[in-house]
Amino acid sequence: MESSIVFTISRLSLSPSSKPQALPFQPWKHRTPPPQPPTRVHCHKMYVPGHGASPEKTAAKHLHHFFNFVAVKIVAAQLQSYNPEAYEELMEFVERHPLNDGDKFCADLMRESSRHQKLALRIMEVRSAYCKEDFEWDNLKKVASKMMDESNTRLLRNYIMETSCLDKVK
């Protein structure tokens, strides 16, 4: 039993060496910890890497512009029945200015003339009311989910039909 434990003494140095040994750390210098990767909040939802804006914020921006488009259509339909002259002015403005940026569209409409300013205020009022009171948010989620499921099923079915030998056998 006594001979089973062997120490290698040749590695240990008991005599002082000519070079001073460096300490494992230098206490007079402040050490900074190594940089850590950004921490993510662990939750039950997917992490979506992006370029600054969340997917929800991006979708909200697109909905904002869509609500402006809907409001222009609603106001135009109202004007067509009771104020054909204002309807024509709005339609001429729509032909000259794109509806893809709702805020820019309303800002440009307000600066066109005092009559156009009233149309812009009406459009802003309608888009706000439509968003808060008339848009069916629950239905949006249901329809979007259904469309996604149907699209995935169709794409997978088409892929299987293209790559399987079922189609070639017939």
Side-chain angles (χ1 to χ4, degrees):
M1 291 263 172
E2 293 176 21
S3 63
S4 65
I5 302 175
V6 177
F7 289 107
T8 308
I9 298 182
S10 64
R11 290 189 169 186
L12 296 175
S13 175
L14 299 176
S15 65
S17 64
S18 60
K19 294 181 183 178
Q21 293 184 353
L23 294 173
F25 65 92
Q26 296 178 351
W28 59 86
K29 288 188 177 179
H30 179 66
R31 293 184 348 172
T32 58
Q36 298 293 323
T39 57
R40 292 189 299 191
V41 177
H42 295 285
C43 65
H44 66 282
K45 295 190 178 197
M46 288 186 203
Y47 169 71
V48 181
H51 52 279
S54 70
E56 292 82 4
K57 181 153 180 112
T58 303
K61 181 180 174 183
H62 289 292
L63 278 172
H64 176 74
H65 298 313
F66 175 71
F67 292 146
N68 194 76
F69 171 80
V70 169
V72 168
K73 296 298 181 185
I74 291 170
V75 170
Q78 293 169 346
L79 291 174
Q80 190 175 19
S81 62
Y82 74 88
N83 191 345
E85 186 179 318
Y87 170 78
E88 288 299 321
E89 288 178 352
L90 179 59
M91 289 298 100
E92 288 173 9
F93 188 84
V94 168
E95 287 177 14
R96 290 183 283 128
H97 295 83
L99 281 166
N100 56 357
D101 184 345
D103 290 345
K104 183 174 181 346
F105 179 84
C106 286
D108 292 346
L109 186 60
M110 279 194 273
R111 287 168 180 78
E112 188 81 8
S113 72
S114 61
R115 288 177 57 128
H116 287 84
Q117 180 184 20
K118 292 175 185 172
L119 289 173
L121 293 173
R122 177 70 183 142
I123 289 168
M124 291 188 298
E125 179 184 4
V126 169
R127 75 182 186 180
S128 180
Y130 182 78
C131 173
K132 293 176 184 174
E133 298 169 15
D134 289 353
F135 190 75
E136 296 181 16
W137 293 97
D138 294 335
N139 196 30
L140 168 68
K141 184 176 179 180
K142 218 180 297 179
V143 169
S145 180
K146 183 180 177 186
M147 286 174 63
M148 188 64 58
D149 290 343
E150 289 172 352
S151 175
N152 287 347
T153 302
R154 185 185 72 255
L155 290 169
L156 288 171
R157 183 182 298 123
N158 291 344
Y159 176 75
I160 290 171
M161 293 301 288
E162 290 172 9
T163 58
S164 70
C165 57
L166 294 175
D167 195 30
K168 296 172 186 169
V169 173
K170 292 180 182 178

